[in-house]
Amino acid sequence: MTGSTAEAVASTGAGAAFALPSRVTLEEATTVLRGLEAALEAAPPGGGALRIDAAGVVELDTAAVALLLQARRLARARGLGFTLTGAPDALRALADLYGVESLIDGAGLAGPPSSAAGPRADASTM
């Protein structure tokens, strides 16, 4: 799917994969969130990771950061890790501005949630 519609790429025993649409703005936020939730629902809990591909994103606003933070929370609640690939420079800049660069950098996000949350965990729960 293209445009403002999100696309769940795959759900396997190793988690779920999800491609963000070309636009991730406040206008598309509800649709994208529903797609992310559907991808997570299809993935078995407690194994693998939610893998989000942002390579196709060409237009975004702060809603993109909020959606990714929510996706990470939802993945962790299901016992899944979280990875983000293909983040465009604009998304990196917004994550840096809001102090959640770990969302983009992947520091400690590839595996399932740990029992000991570090200082970055506080920033991701805003």
Side-chain angles (χ1 to χ4, degrees), residues 3-114:
S4 65
T5 306
E7 181 177 344
V9 177
S11 293
T12 67
F18 185 83
L20 291 173
S22 60
R23 288 187 68 202
V24 184
T25 65
L26 184 59
E27 187 175 329
E28 294 82 27
T30 301
T31 301
V32 175
L33 181 59
R34 284 185 188 140
L36 284 164
E37 289 170 339
L40 282 167
E41 286 295 319
L50 171 61
R51 297 172 308 282
I52 296 179
D53 180 2
V57 177
V58 294
E59 184 179 349
L60 60 100
D61 63 18
T62 57
V65 174
L67 283 166
L68 291 171
L69 289 170
Q70 179 65 6
R72 183 168 69 178
R73 281 187 215 102
L74 292 171
R76 286 180 171 177
R78 290 186 58 83
L80 298 172
F82 176 90
T83 59
L84 176 68
T85 60
D89 290 340
L91 182 56
R92 290 179 180 279
L94 282 174
D96 185 52
L97 178 67
Y98 289 105
V100 291
E101 42 293 301
S102 67
L103 183 68
I104 306 297
D105 296 336
L109 300 180
S114 67

